[in-house]
Amino acid sequence: MSGGISRRGLLVGGGAGIGLVVAWGLWPRDYPANLSLGPGEHPFGAWLKVGEDGRVMVAVPQAEGGQGVYTALAQIVADELGADWRTVGVEAAPMNPAYANPLAIAELFGAVPGASFGRAPMLTAGSTSIRAFEGPARASAAAARVLLARAAARRWDVAWEACSTERGFVVHQGKRVRFAELAAEAAAAGAGGLPDPLPIGRGGAGRLVGRSVPRLDAPAKVDGSANFVGDVRLADMVHARVRAGPLGDSRLVRMDRAAADRVRGMLQVVETPTWVAAVATTGWAAERGLDALAPRFETRGVVPDDAGVAAALDAALEGEGTRIAEQGDLSSVFRGARLVTAEYRVAPGVHAAIETASAVAAFRDGRLEVWCQTEAPAHARVAAAEAAGIGEDDVIVHPMPIGGGFGARLETDAIEQAARLAVALKRPVNLAWMRGEEIARGRHRPPAVARMAARLAAGGSILGWSAKIASPPTGRELAERLTGRSVGRIAAIASPGDRYAVGGAVPPYRLPAYAVDHHPAETGLPTGHLRGGAHGYTCFFTECFIDELAHVGASEPVSFRIGMLGGDPRLARCLQTAASLGGWEGGVAGSGQGMACHGFRGSRIAVMAEADMGPDGRPVVRRLVAAVDCGAVINPDLVRQQIEGGLMFGLGQALGASTGFAAGRPIERGFDRLWLPRLGDMPDITVELIASPEQPGGVSELAVPPVAPAIANALQAATGVRIRSSPLRSGG
């Protein structure tokens, strides 16, 4: 398919009675729009509906997990349409291949540019919502604006090009008419003769983008009227809690049914070879019943634990790796030279979302309905259908708001369990994982070890750089889970090695020679995507090592970095801005200041931290200063919220948000043991958004990667001790 948006590619169908179908850019003709319509609503394609009451409803195909996508994408559509923000609402887009997100597939799987994966699924991941959908959203809204203007122009007997839109009206020389009065006529007029190219950015567009308009999802969340999975109530519904065995080949061998039966409210026990469920009238009764069951499992073969994971990573690092990226002749640069080396480690990263995995399932007359948190609804439907033993066409998935998924809701384990329970019980079931189960069964960010090496010139500049990273092949496994094994094989052909597993490891600096190698490790731990992905540890490796090289070369850390950023002035400006705002003192001994920077998803960020080591061996972070260049900004408040939230998420990763494993089970099984930052741990935060003419870049994950290395560098300046493991601890 062509990479551009044409009138022919945009118009899919239409006609009197059904309205114009304004498609996504590049939408194949066999994907008709399937928006549900209420009384008085008229469809304008896959993106929006205009009601006879004046309401503009925007269909959003991305999961709302607190990042503000329901507001940002609606703001883009309303901006181009010329709508009144007070009349704009949102709803989850229906299941449709038209809403596929191939950019997220490429980001997640680390695909080489131009690699094809066939039909990509609907997906919310990789900070891609604006980058993937702003263009199609604007094109669709512009087409709808033209149709509304034509309807008004016919009434006034003027050229439609002379009409514009403003705050929900079509206007022309003092005359105006509401969208509500034109909706039926405009939708029924058909698609003939739309201009090519579409008048994007003209005719009344451009009044909303760049402003901090109120979030559309905030009022319902504030007053408690927003419905999450846990709020779903159906007639005759029961509640369930589940427990699975240790990681590995575990099988249920015994449980105490009699004890469970004595729990008030307990209704039934459902067992499978690998997990057991307690079913009760309430969630609390189900939890007590599950504890009374006291299920015991037998695990065959190797059981993952910390020692085994460390041994697997070390063995992989000594084995053969796959060259993922290189420049110059590194072998000749390193030959016979004295190298600076360091080894870094990161532990598995826990998602630690407030809302644990949950799903509601109802099985009636051979059809299954599922209400679930999901970042991949098509994948969720496939998984639910397989679990229930029915066809995909017999499954309806209702995507719900997510209470902070951070990548965990790409997975479907809880959805599959709810589907199986609904079929077995023949009653609607509300399943919610307890915190211990969430940590035990969650697919965490993988553990990793990096062996870094560099050669410095006499003046301290870097002549050569090597990063050998051992970690599980998470990207390949994620590809197979989300889109099937065939896509995983295509990814392997298109991009040898696991590019996801070392995402962000190519240094942003201009170096004469470098090489990045991935050493796949089989640790026995299930791994998946966590906010920031592999960048969460590769930035730690890179920015800590850069700091060490600056000290070896007797260079000031910020100027050392900027001197190598001739090819990336945006990142250099972020460094300069963060240093200026933070009162950078050069990272000298005793200053307790550290700096780190990163380029990510088309955006740039630099973070300065002020920290010291507390008496309990945990860092005390007093200040974080972030300078951000994320290109053109749709909504400044949303960007600031995401950067501040990302800084706190990164702080959590630096302090804890991790667990070890013993006998196949996580050692830390509750929030109280994850060492997450609390109110008293909050540092002073400064965020500066740098105006930029570039296209919008990713924001939601941007601030996570540089926080831990900035704190580690600050601790080195404060204590003189270099910590090379994350989470950061004294003696690490």
Side-chain angles (χ1 to χ4, degrees), residues 257-474:
R257 284 179 177 269
D261 289 341
R262 290 192 291 269
V263 174
R264 186 176 181 180
M266 269 292 295
L267 298 174
Q268 193 171 341
V269 174
V270 178
E271 62 177 284
T272 76
T274 57
W275 54 268
V276 62
V279 182
T281 55
T282 67
W284 173 240
E287 289 182 22
R288 293 180 61 219
L290 187 60
D291 288 339
L293 272 176
R296 294 294 180 264
F297 297 84
E298 179 181 81
T299 307
R300 304 166 189 168
V302 177
V303 180
D305 59 20
D306 285 352
V309 170
L313 292 170
D314 290 340
L317 201 57
E318 297 300 332
E320 184 176 353
T322 299
R323 182 63 48 89
I324 300 297
E326 64 180 334
Q327 178 174 291
D329 185 1
L330 186 64
S331 59
S332 64
V333 173
F334 276 9
R335 190 177 300 119
R338 182 178 179 180
L339 305 180
V340 180
T341 62
E343 191 167 290
Y344 302 90
R345 292 179 178 270
V346 295
V350 176
H351 292 90
I354 293 294
E355 186 184 20
T356 59
S358 57
V360 171
F363 185 68
R364 308 181 186 92
D365 302 322
R367 293 180 65 83
L368 180 71
E369 279 191 89
V370 179
W371 291 258
C372 58
Q373 325 145 312
T374 178
E375 295 171 73
H379 174 47
R381 184 172 67 173
V382 171
E386 291 179 353
I390 58 179
E392 291 178 43
D393 291 341
D394 292 322
V395 178
I396 299 174
V397 170
H398 302 284
M400 302 292 287
I402 299 171
F406 311 125
R409 306 309 168 225
L410 293 168
E411 310 300 341
T412 60
D413 302 69
I415 296 170
E416 295 169 38
Q417 290 173 339
R420 292 187 63 176
L421 289 171
V423 172
L425 298 169
K426 296 181 175 54
R427 298 175 68 175
V429 59
N430 187 319
L431 168 67
W433 281 7
M434 292 183 288
R435 180 63 56 188
E437 191 71 10
E438 172 93 344
I439 297 175
R441 311 307 301 181
R443 295 184 179 271
H444 308 309
R445 188 191 67 193
V449 176
R451 184 170 294 162
M452 312 293 289
R455 179 184 175 184
L456 296 180
S461 61
I462 301 174
L463 298 177
W465 171 287
S466 169
K468 296 180 181 294
I469 300 172
S471 64
T474 300

Side-chain angles (χ1 to χ4, degrees), residues 560-585:
F560 183 66
R561 288 174 167 86
I562 292 176
M564 297 182 289
L565 284 173
D568 195 339
R570 296 173 65 193
L571 193 54
R573 186 177 179 188
C574 287
L575 279 165
Q576 292 170 330
T577 303
S580 176
L581 286 174
W584 175 252
E585 298 174 8

